[in-house]
Amino acid sequence: YQFEAFTIADGTCGPNVTWTLYTNGLLRIDGEYAMAKSDSAEDLAFYDYADKISAIEIGPNITKISKYTYYANEACTSFTVLNPGAIMPEEAIAMPQNVEIQGYYESTAQAYAEENNIPFAPVPILASGSCGENASWWFHETGMFNICGTGAVNSAVWGNYPAMSTEINVGKGITYLSGHLYFGSANCTKFAIRNPDTYISSGTIANILDSLVIYGDIDSTAQAYANNINANFKPFILGTGPFPESTWTVYANGELRITGRGPTTVSDKTPFDIPWDAFRDDITSIDVAAGIINLPGFTYFNQENCTSITIWNPNLSFKSNTVAVKQDNLVIYGYKGSTAETYA
């Protein structure tokens, strides 16, 4: 009998990221954290299937999109980004042709579309309205309840839509949240607050369920609020992984933290062997816990945005090229008389 597969091809395109190309032409990229770093279109795992792609969809937990994910794909007319905070490098959509970007209002996808003069369309909206002088709300068919604009959210006039949502996202421009944004919805498991200084009223989240997780930056008002109400909190993370006895994590605020105990044994023949290579441009500071006893070569390699390295182990072992191709504004912090001071 004649047989037709549901998919054309699939594979991985990052440590925690998969790609699947369906027979209808949809390229679905899903998983967690960053796509693999790419310096050319040929580096992409799905490059050989470019002429078969008619639409690209980036999953809600992908934190960084590879360069050249779209590269002059003549047949591809739609590029959808379902994470409102996903990092989009300048060449994420290279040589755009007849393509439209879909995403959430005030997302990085919308900003990217406007900066590059690419048509933008919101993910389909089921309902919307006003919730402040300069603030609006949008309920999308994906289950995202999105609050955008600037200033205060001072009215809850959206009826039962938050209870129908699976995720609530509060944009960076919102500075004040009034009460009753969340009131015990079993469907809603994620409450993301993207402004680290947003004032959160005591009753903003009412009738908290164990399944709810509050997301925000490290040391943000969202974290303090979660601690005050004994709710689950997770910081925005761009990527994480073993190192191998220790753990490395790059947070959305640009901080790279290396935690755990013992040595960091990893191949360090080139800068690209370091596991956080995909985030070098995003890192603004490095913090190395007291239990870490050594750092490999190329831990810091020409990271223009990174201005500080903090070493908490006074006897940490460095390689000559642990800091390779340093920037003039880089400062190493550590104890007086430590190996960090000697290395600096």
Side-chain angles (χ1 to χ4, degrees):
Y1 294 93
Q2 183 178 352
F3 172 79
E4 183 174 342
F6 295 124
T7 61
I8 296 173
D10 56 50
T12 62
C13 53
N16 301 288
V17 185
T18 61
W19 64 273
T20 304
L21 178 59
Y22 296 90
T23 52
N24 64 358
L26 172 65
L27 172 66
R28 168 79 180 182
I29 297 171
D30 215 342
E32 287 189 311
Y33 307 129
M35 294 175 62
K37 187 173 181 179
S38 58
D39 294 317
S40 68
E42 289 83 355
D43 291 338
L44 295 169
F46 43 84
Y47 173 74
D48 291 339
Y49 303 94
D51 60 340
K52 296 178 172 61
I53 299 171
S54 61
I56 298 173
E57 183 176 284
I58 311 293
N61 296 316
I62 302 299
T63 57
K64 187 173 183 179
I65 298 169
S66 295
K67 294 180 180 179
Y68 306 104
T69 297
Y70 174 105
Y71 181 73
N73 300 76
E74 294 184 8
C76 184
T77 59
S78 174
F79 192 103
T80 301
V81 182
L82 295 178
N83 179 352
I87 293 174
M88 296 186 64
E90 186 176 349
E91 298 90 355
I93 298 179
M95 299 177 66
Q97 298 188 21
N98 185 31
V99 66
E100 176 185 76
I101 295 177
Q102 281 201 1
Y104 298 109
Y105 280 128
E106 296 190 12
S107 64
T108 52
Q110 183 180 15
Y112 186 91
E114 292 172 352
E115 290 169 5
N116 293 277
N117 296 316
I118 300 173
F120 173 81
V123 174
I125 296 167
L126 300 182
S128 64
S130 174
C131 54
E133 184 176 352
N134 296 298
S136 301
W137 62 270
W138 313 84
F139 182 56
H140 300 267
E141 69 173 18
T142 59
M144 167 80 79
F145 186 82
N146 201 20
I147 300 174
C148 302
T150 58
V153 173
N154 50 32
S155 60
V157 293
W158 42 63
N160 200 40
Y161 289 109
M164 297 166 59
S165 68
T166 57
E167 176 180 352
I168 298 174
N169 180 76
V170 181
K172 284 188 175 181
I174 301 300
T175 57
Y176 175 93
L177 294 176
S178 61
H180 302 294
L181 266 69
Y182 169 95
F183 35 84
S185 169
N187 298 318
C188 186
T189 59
K190 183 175 180 179
F191 194 112
I193 301 174
R194 303 203 173 261
N195 182 341
D197 300 315
T198 295
Y199 179 85
I200 308 169
S201 302
S202 58
T204 293
I205 298 178
N207 189 23
I208 306 154
L209 299 181
D210 292 339
S211 57
L212 178 68
V213 178
I214 298 174
Y215 287 79
D217 281 338
I218 296 175
D219 298 327
S220 63
T221 54
Q223 183 176 15
Y225 184 82
N227 292 338
N228 288 338
I229 63 175
N230 295 316
N232 299 314
F233 174 80
K234 288 185 179 180
F236 292 128
I237 292 176
L238 298 184
T240 187
F243 194 39
E245 292 87 352
S246 54
T247 301
W248 65 270
T249 305
V250 179
Y251 295 93
N253 63 0
E255 183 177 16
L256 165 63
R257 288 190 181 182
I258 301 173
T259 57
R261 305 189 66 84
T264 55
T265 54
V266 65
S267 174
D268 58 0
K269 294 180 180 179
T270 74
F272 312 110
D273 295 325
I274 299 300
W276 54 80
D277 176 61
F279 304 103
R280 289 192 184 274
D281 294 340
D282 308 302
I283 296 171
T284 57
S285 66
I286 300 174
D287 186 283
V288 183
I292 304 301
I293 64 175
N294 78 300
L295 287 177
F298 303 108
T299 295
Y300 179 105
F301 178 75
N302 198 25
Q303 289 153 239
E304 297 182 3
N305 299 316
C306 183
T307 58
S308 72
I309 302 175
T310 302
I311 308 295
W312 293 102
N313 180 353
N315 299 307
L316 184 129
S317 175
F318 293 84
K319 280 193 167 184
S320 60
N321 63 341
T322 291
V323 176
V325 193
K326 74 176 181 67
Q327 300 294 315
D328 291 338
N329 59 351
L330 176 66
V331 179
I332 296 177
Y333 293 85
Y335 293 106
K336 189 167 182 61
S338 65
T339 54
E341 181 179 12
T342 303
Y343 184 78

